[in-house]
Amino acid sequence: MSLLWQRLSGETSDVELIRKILFAVEESSTNGLVPFRLSIDGCGDIEIGYNVRLLHEAGLLIAKDTNRTDHIFWDPVRLTWDGHELLDAMRSDEGWGKAQKAMTQIGGFTIDVLKSLLVEYLKQEGRRFLGG
């Protein structure tokens, strides 16, 4: 899974929105069997749907094309195993901030690079916790 986030059809992905979507799907009260409408403050339906579709294509969540209007719209159903893994790596605000800083300095990112940065942070914290 090395999906490069880039502009498609004039829309862009947003790494912070991606994190918010993953947390919102995890926190949803649905049974993980049916799609649900996701609402995130400050984000429109098209922006959310586009990023949900990208996360589905990356294998991080299961989503359905619900096409409610004249545009394609995707609603999340549940996280996949890889989605849970990435979300667990994203939980630390400190680690998340360091990964974002690294991505800014690199000038871009892939999901694999993002996950590697976050996992490396977790390893460092684990070694520090274990005194090594």
Side-chain angles (χ1 to χ4, degrees):
M1 161 180 53
S2 63
L3 179 63
L4 178 61
W5 301 101
Q6 52 186 281
R7 292 178 185 257
L8 267 176
S9 305
E11 297 181 38
T12 60
S13 64
D14 173 346
V15 69
E16 190 62 40
L17 177 56
I18 289 167
R19 185 179 190 227
K20 288 177 183 179
I21 289 170
L22 292 175
F23 274 114
V25 172
E26 180 189 52
E27 295 168 2
S28 74
S29 59
T30 66
N31 57 10
L33 298 175
V34 296
F36 63 94
R37 182 144 192 204
L38 190 58
S39 177
I40 296 175
D41 289 341
C43 298
D45 285 348
I46 294 173
E47 181 181 14
I48 293 170
Y50 176 77
N51 282 277
V52 166
R53 185 185 83 194
L54 288 178
L55 291 167
H56 172 80
E57 291 171 350
L60 298 172
L61 57 77
I62 303 297
K64 300 288 183 192
D65 176 2
T66 55
N67 197 7
R68 288 191 291 269
T69 62
D70 60 346
H71 65 274
I72 297 172
F73 195 88
W74 288 72
D75 286 324
V77 177
R78 65 174 179 81
L79 295 176
T80 63
W81 181 269
D82 286 340
H84 281 287
E85 290 280 304
L86 180 60
L87 186 58
D88 285 342
M90 291 178 159
R91 287 194 194 282
S92 163
D93 288 336
E94 182 180 346
W96 178 248
K98 288 181 178 187
Q100 281 186 300
K101 183 177 179 182
M103 289 183 298
T104 300
Q105 291 177 351
I106 293 168
F109 74 100
T110 66
I111 289 296
D112 287 339
V113 170
L114 173 63
K115 188 172 182 180
S116 293
L117 291 168
L118 292 165
V119 167
E120 185 57 36
Y121 170 78
L122 291 174
K123 287 179 183 178
Q124 288 174 3
E125 289 300 298
R127 284 190 294 273
R128 190 173 69 175
F129 177 75
L130 295 173

